[in-house]
Amino acid sequence: VQLAESGGGLVQPGSSLRLSCAASGGASDFYAMAWFRQTPGKERAFVAFITWNSGMTYYGESVRGRFTISREKAENTVYLQMNRLKSDDTARYYCAADESKGGRDPRGYDYWGQGAQVTVSS
C-alpha cells in the first residue's frame, strides 16, 4: 500500500485549501483513513479520520467546524477540505491508513504518506 498526498501550498489566513491522498493497492481492505499534522519539534497531531466503509467522521478539537474529511471509494482517495485557515494550521499534513484500528492515535496506523506542507501566512 502506498499513500500519496497532494494539494499543499502557501495561502493567506482565512483562505481554503483541499488536500488529497491517493491510495494504491489494498484500499478496499482499509478500516480507516486519517489526516495528522506535524510541526518541527512537536509530535504528530490528530486532525481527522474517516471509516472507509461507513464514512463516519471524527475531528480534532482545533479543526472541528472548519475542516471536512471525505473519501471517494471508487478512486481510493481521501480528501481534507480546509476552510478559514489560520496561521496555527501551518504544518506538514500526513495521510494515514489502517486495516483494523484507526482512531486518533497515530500508533493506530500502519501506512503513511510522505506528507504535504501547508503554510498559512500573510
Side-chain angles (χ1 to χ4, degrees), residues 36-109:
F36 290 82
R37 64 187 183 185
Q38 189 171 25
T39 55
K42 294 190 176 181
E43 295 186 352
R44 204 161 286 190
F46 170 70
V47 175
F49 84 88
I50 185 168
T51 56
W52 190 249
N53 285 327
S54 65
M56 296 291 291
T57 58
Y58 304 84
Y59 296 94
E61 192 61 38
S62 62
V63 306
R64 187 175 291 117
R66 299 188 298 123
F67 290 12
T68 302
I69 188 171
S70 62
R71 90 276 193 244
E72 177 54 64
K73 295 176 71 175
E75 297 180 358
N76 290 338
T77 299
V78 66
Y79 302 97
L80 185 69
Q81 177 66 42
M82 304 183 290
N83 298 329
R84 304 199 308 275
L85 282 160
K86 308 174 182 178
S87 57
D88 287 349
D89 296 318
T90 295
R92 191 163 187 84
Y93 285 71
Y94 293 89
C95 174
D98 191 76
E99 296 167 348
S100 61
K101 298 182 294 294
R104 299 169 183 262
D105 190 333
R107 294 171 296 181
Y109 294 84

